[in-house]
Amino acid sequence: LPSQTALPDPLLMLDGRPVTSRAQWVKERRPELKALFEHYMYGAIPPKPTRAVARNLGEYHDFLGGKATLKLVRLETGPAKAPRIDLMLVMPNGRPGPAPVFLAMDFCGNHALTADPRVPLARSWMGSGCKGCTNNAATEAARGSQAADWPLAEIVGRGFALAAFYSGDVDSDRKEVSDGIYAWLAAGDPARNNPTNRGTIAAWAWGFHRCVDYLVTEPGVDAHRIAALGHSRNGKTALLAVAFDERIAIAFPHQAGCGGSAPSRGKTGESVKAINGAFPHWFNAQFKLFNDAPEGLPFDQNCLVALCAPRPVLFSAAEGDQWANPAGQFQVLQAADPVYRFLGAKGLAAKEIPPRGQLVDSPLGYYVREGKHSMTSDDWTVFMNFADAQWRK
């Protein structure tokens, strides 16, 4: 692989041929980019289950003081040892027609998003950093522990639905062990479940796709207006999920940084070597070969954004989160812009990074605020404003 210091051109085939038509993009370059990302970085996204069952655990129309319906669904993705994904769906009451939905993966279980005792506690392994977690298990003390960052009343008040699931239901975030989708697929063979060649982000993207399988059948949800959202590592996952599943209409990778919305090349923020050292399970073994030479990658994250084209993507960042490289994220959007324009979309409207607090709401969107690495209720206002701007169009 030749060294490329600049971000690779998504409209240039691996063999050097330029992409000259939409048909060539769809039939040749897009599949090529997907194969390159799976081979050199994320690993293959696991296959769709041959048989899955959605079990309704409860439906309550009095949620949020009657403003919303709470629906609890368990997605059984296969036989007994296959992942069981608990999906919490909050839909606005009184809305004419199905609602656009934010599909989000959370860090500490659905029960952390609301104190409502009807939401089941997460059953999967949980990191000790989650409040109310004892011996890596959720307890009643965990209920509503992150509710301030998930303004459910405001979301449904704006006419949106929220669907949330816990990453640990798909695969726990542990570098030394997989107890989810990869453990099931390995069928007890350790050689098929190597932690440093696991690709947990790809597994979590598979979880997004399984939730979409259900959401497109849910009468209260607009199947054509599904957005994938996540913060940090969950944002990396959301972007990958959108790139590989055209049923998802908008990507919201919030502060996704290296391996997500920031470039692998360059010297600012988290490096490929640093992220592979700290989180060896997130990517595959091939990606680690580029620890000291990311310039050899035949793609960069602008190519992942290009796989979303012409669907909207919002990169949101914080000035105090230089580890996630806000300036580099803007450069990624700039380098994806030619693909959007090639496909007839407007791309990125801004020529330079906008002032703090100003939303660029073109199909390739950007927003930077003051503060640190976090997701807040104010960020949700920006997410909803961007979704409104895109879906009105």
Side-chain angles (χ1 to χ4, degrees):
L1 294 171
S3 177
Q4 303 176 72
T5 54
L7 300 183
D9 185 354
L11 294 173
L12 201 63
M13 299 288 296
L14 189 62
D15 63 7
R17 290 180 295 132
V19 177
T20 58
S21 68
R22 177 186 288 266
Q24 186 185 7
W25 170 259
V26 172
K27 296 179 180 179
E28 295 186 56
R29 182 54 169 162
R30 198 170 185 278
E32 180 179 74
L33 281 173
K34 290 172 71 174
L36 289 170
F37 273 109
E38 287 189 306
H39 179 76
Y40 285 115
M41 187 173 180
Y42 294 107
I45 294 179
K48 182 178 179 178
T50 55
R51 181 176 179 272
V53 176
R55 300 199 181 279
N56 191 339
L57 304 183
E59 186 168 340
Y60 311 98
H61 300 280
D62 61 347
F63 191 57
L64 300 177
K67 296 178 181 177
T69 292
L70 171 67
K71 190 169 184 178
L72 305 169
V73 180
R74 181 161 294 162
L75 306 178
E76 300 178 357
T77 63
K81 293 186 178 180
R84 266 61 175 155
I85 302 173
D86 282 351
L87 184 67
M88 181 182 80
L89 183 58
V90 180
M91 298 175 287
N93 289 338
R95 178 188 170 90
V101 62
F102 289 100
L103 171 60
M105 189 168 72
D106 54 65
F107 289 109
C108 295
N110 299 335
H111 61 268
L113 278 55
T114 173
D116 194 303
R118 295 173 293 190
V119 177
L121 294 176
R123 301 161 291 107
S124 308
W125 182 95
M126 189 164 291
S128 57
C130 293
K131 294 180 180 179
C133 174
T134 302
N135 297 325
N136 301 113
T139 72
E140 290 295 326
R143 292 195 179 278
S145 56
Q146 295 183 333
D149 300 329
W150 297 80
L152 302 181
E154 287 81 357
I155 292 170
V156 297
R158 291 276 297 265
F160 294 98
L162 173 72
F165 71 103
Y166 171 47
S167 60
D169 284 354
V170 178
D171 207 56
S172 57
D173 190 13
R174 288 184 283 178
K175 60 185 178 182
E176 70 277 5
V177 63
S178 167
D179 56 2
I181 177 67
Y182 291 126
W184 174 54
L185 293 175
D189 182 0
R192 297 171 59 194
N193 189 18
N194 182 343
T196 61
N197 191 28
R198 194 160 88 221
T200 305
I201 288 175
W204 292 335
W206 175 89
F208 268 95
H209 296 164
R210 303 293 68 83
C211 292
V212 173
D213 292 344
Y214 170 77
L215 290 175
V216 296
T217 71
E218 168 56 54
V221 165
D222 186 340
H224 300 291
R225 293 191 290 175
I226 299 173
L229 183 146
H231 171 229
S232 194
R233 68 199 67 177
N234 295 355
K236 306 179 202 297
T237 306
L239 183 58
L240 178 64
V242 176
F244 278 65
D245 191 334
E246 294 183 77
R247 298 174 299 173
I248 309 176
I250 303 183
F252 288 90
H254 178 59
Q255 300 178 347
C258 183
S261 53
S264 295
R265 290 161 171 81
K267 304 297 183 183
T268 302
E270 189 173 24
S271 66
V272 171
K273 185 173 185 177
I275 200 170
N276 277 329
F279 309 103
H281 56 301
W282 286 358
F283 305 97
N284 69 0
Q286 289 290 322
F287 194 47
K288 295 158 182 69
L289 301 178
F290 298 90
N291 279 355
D292 297 311
E295 298 81 8
L297 285 165
F299 53 75
D300 214 308
Q301 298 311 101
N302 62 308
C303 297
L304 191 66
V305 176
L307 287 174
C308 301
R311 293 165 292 160
V313 176
L314 174 67
F315 280 7
S316 42
E319 288 181 340
D321 184 21
Q322 291 301 312
W323 191 241
N325 192 2
Q329 293 177 54
F330 189 79
Q331 292 167 357
V332 164
L333 293 178
Q334 289 178 307
D337 175 85
V339 177
Y340 278 72
R341 299 188 184 276
F342 178 78
L343 296 175
K346 291 185 178 180
L348 179 64
K351 300 298 184 183
E352 56 187 26
I353 295 176
R356 183 177 63 193
Q358 179 177 310
L359 171 64
V360 177
D361 64 0
S362 50
L364 286 177
Y366 186 85
Y367 176 81
V368 62
R369 59 162 169 80
E370 63 180 356
K372 302 292 185 179
H373 191 69
S374 62
M375 186 177 74
T376 69
S377 59
D378 288 340
D379 291 326
W380 274 98
T381 300
V382 175
F383 303 153
M384 291 186 284
N385 289 346
F386 185 79
D388 273 339
Q390 300 308 314
W391 281 327
R392 277 200 308 268
K393 299 172 184 176

